[in-house]
Amino acid sequence: MSWIKFVVLLFSIHALLSASAQTIHRDWQAQWIAADSAETPNSWYCFRKNFNLQGKPQSAVAHIACDSKYWLWVNGEMVVFEGQLKRGPTPRDTYYDEVDLTAYLNNRHNNVAILVWYFGKQGFSHNSSGRCGLIFELDADGQKIVSDGSWKARRNPAYLTETVGPQPNFRLPESNIAFDARRQLTRWYEKLYNDHSWPQASVVGRPPCAPWNELIRRPIAQWADSGLVDYLSIAEDATTNGMRRMVCQLPYNAHFTPWLKVRAPAGKTIIIQTDNYQGGGAFNLRAEYTTREGTQEYESLGWINGHEMHYFVPEGVEVLDLKYRETGYNAEFAGSFKCDLPALNTLWQKSMQTLYVTMRDTYMDCPDRERAQWWGDAVNELGEAFYVFDAVKGPLLAKKGIYELARWQRDDRVLYSPVPAGIPADPSVKNPRDGTWYKELPRQMLASVGWYGFWTYYWYTADRQTIVDVYPHVRDYMSLWQLNDQCLVIHRTGDWDWTDWGKNKDVAVLENAWVFLTLKACIEMARLTGNEDDIAGYQTKMNRIKSAFNKTFWQGDKYRTPGYKGLTDDRAQAMAVVAGLAEPGYYPAIRRQLKSQYEASPYMEKYVLEALYLMDAPEEAEERMLKRWSEQIEDQHCTTLWEGWGIGKKGYGGGTYNHAWSGGPLTVLSQYGAGIAPTRPAFKEFAVLPQPGRIKRVESVVPTRFGNIELTLDRSDNFEMKLIVPPGTKSALGIPKKEGISRVTINGNLVYDEGRATSQLYAGECDRWIKFNLKQGKWNVVAER
């Protein structure tokens, strides 16, 4: 890449990340339009507009919004497959899409056709407006095509409002999809379709009219789309109750929409669901297709996930072909990790696939039972994403989630998740079953706004503007956390006094560690945003906690709260270390505890592993990883990781087999195993301080805005590293002292000999590493024992 292109790319990335995620478009000429019966849940509507242009445009950009999802055709060609983000940038407002239509428009006669799916339900990922609507505004070289009363609109009669059998659990705003081909509008989206008999659309109003209010630009890209592809294999089961099951194998757990081609008489119903239909212990999403007579094709447009697609086909239906379309979050898989221990490679890959299958409109806990942006999960996910996805599109989902969490802050200063979500009519109801949510999980919120959440996002992106925008919300929330006369945190139960799944949670130790870490992040955010007057208050609280923490909780060989009756909590030992509250002299005792205590769920296990690396115990971290995830590593069916240490009744919270919080090994293997982490925001400067443990060989790629950091490590004979430092960056590379190094050469030049520096590249030593400063370029490091 030339320097000019590199600088242009760098500025483009900076501008994209630094832009506010609250870009409100107010100068609309278009109006919101609707069709009849626009309040019916799980209904589908067709909108069409024929128009003329004076010449083929050089630039044609459309702004589009709806409640809830749309599919767009221009002149009969599919342009957007599932547009529109689930509703909820704030508790009142709606996202809109910006779509470039330049390549699809003709000189003179053109047509736009839009299919809208209206959920009509609240959910843990969507705040329903209560009415289906569409707004469309196209600027084609200054010519405006806008939604108004001249558009044609009607309900699509082929889509039924309910399927037979169980409906999806209350957390999901989506409904099952039932399509009756006998009632379909044949090829209604084509340019020359005759829509003269269709009714005119009704006009609701111009933004920011209710119930959609302000329109905020979509901050992430449209989905990646594979197009229709073949399944890996298709097998047919024996006939049961007049239905035969077609089992179609996918390459991995994915978001996909199933497609079929059959020859059939009219009135035969095919049931479509995945092997994950009841994943997590609840009914999830499925589809039904009722045939018309003859040969026909159909794609069910609502995405589902799993490893297998199951078509239940009645007698009399001839299956001609079956395919699927994978869609998902649109970012490049740019990072990687590979070592000579195959089990760890499998774990890293399954962590990566788990991350990807829990990304779409928001970060999700799981893609089946809830599809909800629980922020305990999101914290782990955003940390993993920096080691997997490109530096342009990869961070945008975290940025979107950060703004959503802040903008949904309650009037009492409480932050809560999942958001976006339906807002209950009566927030005092303990356990609503209507897809609404309004409840704080205090320890999750500390993780979210603190060191591993908001601050990690900044540290890996250098996106100052986002922190400037959300810091006041963080400050308001942290004002709710107070200390008692013993200088320790006053316990906050919130609305759900949740710390982790599992048993034996030493909450007082954990809560003080979380608050301490969050205050540490608050100091950094206050300094970054010019709120220095806030720092003294944060520092005073940190000092008070530190003065009391070890005196109260350290019992000579472990951390335990006086009066706590449960087994010693491995989570508590770990959080004391990662918060920086544990004295180094305590480390041997803590490590002994972590060899015998296994209470953490996969969510908190990430912090246990990090604590082991921080205590210079990489062998123990690897051993614990392999032990705790052994069943999941060995599972030949699942390409993703589970919610707990078992599936279903053996797991936690229902036990999904694709749960976001379980991928912590990905982060620790890349950040600590390979040792690659930023020391200045966005990897402008970074460390390479590998802790390979039993690993002999490592290959790691970490994407940054400056280019990829690439590391190859081989310690099977000498300790050798090959490192690419991207343009415009610097690296502090360390060789572990425990390797027993006597001589070091870099690019063939002797730089270290028996404890004596022989080059200006030498940067000194600490108790764990011999360090060297390396500028951009390719470096070959050979350390002889």
Side-chain angles (χ1 to χ4, degrees), residues 318-333:
E318 180 185 0
V319 176
L320 302 177
D321 201 1
L322 300 173
K323 295 180 184 292
Y324 72 95
R325 178 194 308 268
E326 181 184 357
T327 57
Y329 187 77
N330 194 344
E332 179 186 350
F333 288 83

Side-chain angles (χ1 to χ4, degrees), residues 265-554:
K268 298 287 186 177
T269 298
I270 300 169
I271 297 172
I272 307 168
Q273 62 192 49
T274 74
D275 59 324
N276 202 29
Y277 172 51
Q278 288 185 262
F283 288 110
N284 301 317
L285 296 168
R286 60 197 284 271
E288 295 175 0
Y289 174 74
T290 301
T291 61
R292 57 178 173 79
E293 185 174 3
T295 300
Q296 55 215 274
E297 300 176 12
Y298 171 70
E299 183 174 6
S300 183
L301 297 180
W303 70 271
I304 47 183
N305 83 287
H307 292 86
E308 296 173 358
M309 184 67 246
H310 296 171
Y311 298 82
F312 295 87
V313 183
E315 293 179 356
V317 175
E318 180 185 0
V319 176
L320 302 177
D321 201 1
L322 300 173
K323 295 180 184 292
Y324 72 95
R325 178 194 308 268
E326 181 184 357
T327 57
Y329 187 77
N330 194 344
E332 179 186 350
F333 288 83
S336 62
F337 176 91
K338 187 177 181 180
C339 70
D340 60 312
L341 299 182
L344 291 181
N345 295 337
T346 298
L347 182 55
W348 198 96
Q349 288 293 323
K350 288 192 174 187
S351 298
M352 181 184 71
Q353 192 59 38
T354 306
L355 171 64
Y356 188 60
V357 84
T358 53
M359 299 170 68
R360 201 173 177 98
D361 296 63
T362 64
Y363 279 124
M364 299 178 277
D365 60 335
C366 54
D368 38 33
R369 183 185 68 212
E370 298 181 41
R371 302 183 173 183
Q373 191 168 228
W374 292 99
W375 258 89
D377 300 80
V379 168
N380 284 13
E381 289 172 291
L382 72 85
E384 296 162 34
F386 293 116
Y387 289 99
V388 174
F389 297 110
D390 68 84
V392 180
K393 295 179 181 178
L396 295 180
L397 196 61
K399 179 187 180 83
K400 173 179 179 288
I402 288 170
Y403 274 100
E404 287 169 347
L405 183 61
R407 302 306 188 200
W408 279 74
Q409 188 165 35
R410 294 179 352 197
D411 291 341
D412 59 1
R413 294 174 288 167
V414 164
L415 294 169
Y416 70 99
S417 71
V419 292
I423 301 174
D426 181 2
S428 67
V429 174
K430 291 290 186 182
N431 295 298
R433 288 294 183 268
D434 58 359
T436 61
W437 190 264
Y438 205 61
K439 299 181 179 181
E440 176 198 11
L441 282 70
R443 265 73 69 203
Q444 280 203 12
M445 289 302 97
L446 291 171
S448 305
V449 303
W451 196 258
Y452 288 96
F454 288 13
W455 189 249
T456 288
Y457 170 80
Y458 170 73
W459 199 243
Y460 279 77
T461 64
D463 176 9
R464 179 180 178 274
Q465 186 60 52
T466 293
I467 303 303
V468 168
D469 290 344
V470 302
Y471 172 71
H473 299 273
V474 177
R475 179 176 54 199
D476 285 350
Y477 178 67
M478 289 306 295
S479 70
L480 301 174
W481 290 88
Q482 298 297 323
L483 307 186
N484 60 25
D485 292 340
Q486 289 75 46
C487 298
L488 295 173
V489 173
I490 298 173
H491 177 59
R492 281 178 50 80
T493 61
D495 301 295
W496 183 3
D497 197 9
W498 190 93
T499 299
D500 188 22
W501 288 130
K503 301 177 181 179
N504 300 307
K505 297 179 282 286
D506 196 342
V507 174
V509 178
L510 291 164
E511 195 162 48
N512 278 273
W514 277 122
V515 170
F516 188 84
L517 263 178
T518 307
L519 291 168
K520 179 181 176 183
C522 285
I523 289 174
E524 298 297 337
M525 286 188 272
R527 184 176 291 117
L528 178 70
T529 60
N531 289 279
E532 288 87 354
D533 289 347
D534 297 340
I535 293 175
Y538 298 139
Q539 190 65 63
T540 297
K541 285 186 176 179
M542 286 185 71
N543 292 342
R544 292 181 67 198
I545 293 171
K546 190 168 186 178
S547 71
F549 187 86
N550 289 330
K551 289 191 294 185
T552 303
F553 300 124
W554 182 248

Side-chain angles (χ1 to χ4, degrees), residues 90-130:
T90 75
R92 297 184 68 255
D93 301 323
T94 306
Y95 286 110
Y96 74 89
D97 288 357
E98 186 172 279
V99 183
D100 190 343
L101 302 184
T102 308
Y104 304 95
L105 294 169
N106 301 320
N107 180 21
R108 299 188 65 187
H109 304 303
N110 290 275
N111 169 266
V112 168
I114 302 175
L115 176 65
V116 173
W117 181 15
Y118 173 58
F119 295 164
K121 296 193 302 178
Q122 303 286 21
F124 279 18
S125 57
H126 175 73
N127 183 24
S128 178
S129 72

